[in-house]
Amino acid sequence: MTELPGIVITGASGRMGQMLIQTVVQSDKARLVGAVERAGHPWVGQDIGQAMGGAALGVVVTDEPLEAFAKAQAVIDFTAPAATLQFAKLAAQARAVHVIGTTGMSDEDIAKLEPCGRHAVIVRAGNMSLGVNLLTQLTKKVAAALDDDYDIEIIESHHNQKVDAPSGTALMLGEAAAEGRGVALADVSDRGRDGITGARQKGDIGFVAVRGGDIVGEHDVMFATAGERIILRHVASDRSVFARGALKAALWGQSQKPGEYDMLDVLGL
C-alpha cells in the first residue's frame, strides 16, 4: 500500500498548531512527520505529543524546518508573515505542498510567494473553512446584484489574543464584495472611524473589528439601504473547521502542478 502523505506542522505550540496536529494524527488519510517551533522554544527537543500533555507520538519538535520539510509531502503553516515567507522558500526547496493559513500578510508579502509557487504547490487562504468560502461566493453574488444604494459593512469578531485587524477572512470577504461591484477594494475600503468623520461615503466597504474573550471567529457581511438590511453570517465555534480545511488542502495539493491556489480551487467553487 502507498504510504500516506507526510505532514509537517509549523508553529506547533500555538492554538492552531496544536489543533492541526490533533487533526492530522486523527486522520486516516495523512500522517504527522514533523513539528516545527522557533529556536529557543521550550518544546524543541520534546516529543510533540508529550509537550501537548498527552501520549508520545514519535515526532520530536525541531527548530530545523528544512530538515523536517525534506521528509514531508506537505507543510501546514498558520504562523506569522515573516516566518511564512521563510517557510515558503524552504517548502519550495523540498517540493512540498505549502498550505498557508497565516493572516496579516501584506500585498508585498504575498508577491514574494510567487517565485516559490514556480517550484511547489502553494494553497493560501484567509480562511480554510468550507462555510466561509461559500460565504465569500455568496458575498460576491449579492454585491453584484445590488447597486451602491446598499452600504456594505463587514463586522468581524475574534479572541483577545489576535494581533491583526481586519482579519484575513474579513479582507477576503471585502475583496469578494469589491469584485462583485467591479471595483478595487483599496479604492473603497473604510477601516477606521473615530471622531467627527463626516457622512459615510457612498460605495465604501466598511470594516469593524471586535476583539474579546475566546471568540473563535464570527463574520457578518451587511448590505444596508433605506428600509432594509441583508446580513450574511458565518460563526465558527471550534478551530477544528480550519484545521480540517487545511488538511483537505494539503491532500488536494498532492495531485496539482506547482502554482498558487486558494480554497475555492480546493473546493471546486
Side-chain angles (χ1 to χ4, degrees):
M1 180 180 291
T2 303
E3 198 169 49
L4 296 176
I7 311 291
V8 171
I9 306 301
T10 62
S13 71
R15 295 186 191 193
M16 271 308 301
Q18 294 188 53
M19 180 60 71
L20 286 161
I21 287 164
Q22 292 171 9
T23 300
V24 173
V25 169
Q26 292 166 6
S27 173
D28 60 0
K29 298 179 180 178
R31 58 197 173 92
L32 183 70
V33 298
V36 174
E37 259 302 343
R38 66 184 183 277
H41 192 280
W43 283 21
V44 173
Q46 295 188 51
D47 181 279
I48 185 59
Q50 293 175 327
M52 290 169 56
L57 295 174
V59 174
V60 175
V61 181
T62 180
D63 57 6
E64 296 288 345
L66 183 56
E67 182 179 308
F69 294 2
K71 299 182 292 186
Q73 283 68 56
V75 176
I76 304 180
D77 175 19
F78 283 67
T79 54
T84 290
L85 291 178
Q86 292 303 312
F87 292 146
K89 295 175 184 176
L90 300 178
Q93 287 183 46
R95 302 299 190 265
V97 174
H98 188 191
V99 177
I100 300 174
T102 301
T103 59
M105 298 186 75
S106 67
D107 290 343
E108 183 180 355
D109 291 333
I110 293 167
K112 290 177 181 177
L113 296 174
E114 192 271 335
C116 303
R118 297 179 197 151
H119 304 287
V121 171
I122 295 175
V123 182
R124 186 186 65 83
N127 193 299
M128 296 284 175
S129 85
L130 171 60
V132 162
N133 282 278
L134 289 172
L135 176 62
T136 300
Q137 292 297 85
L138 289 171
T139 297
K140 180 179 175 180
K141 289 184 177 182
V142 174
L146 302 176
D147 62 24
D148 61 7
D149 285 338
Y150 285 78
D151 299 324
I152 301 176
E153 291 286 315
I154 298 171
I155 305 99
E156 55 100 342
S157 302
H158 284 88
H159 55 87
N160 58 20
Q161 298 301 302
K162 187 168 178 60
V163 298
D164 58 306
S167 69
T169 302
L171 292 172
M172 188 167 75
L173 293 168
E175 290 284 2
E179 187 175 348
R181 284 202 166 162
V183 297
L185 180 60
D187 295 335
V188 296
S189 178
D190 183 358
R191 302 193 191 182
R193 299 182 184 126
D194 184 26
I196 307 301
T197 61
R200 190 187 197 283
Q201 293 295 310
K202 188 172 184 178
D204 277 359
I205 296 175
F207 291 85
V208 178
V210 176
R211 296 290 177 265
D214 61 354
I215 301 170
V216 174
E218 300 178 5
H219 294 85
D220 291 341
V221 183
M222 180 174 67
F223 298 83
T225 192
E228 69 175 357
R229 286 176 290 163
I230 301 166
I231 300 175
L232 306 177
R233 185 167 217 223
H234 180 271
V235 176
S237 57
D238 190 322
R239 286 181 180 78
S240 65
V241 298
F242 311 128
R244 291 195 300 270
L247 178 56
K248 183 180 180 72
L251 297 174
W252 175 86
Q254 300 303 308
S255 60
Q256 307 306 312
K257 295 179 180 179
E260 296 181 66
Y261 302 90
D262 60 23
M263 282 302 289
L264 298 181
D265 296 313
V266 174
L267 299 170
L269 297 175

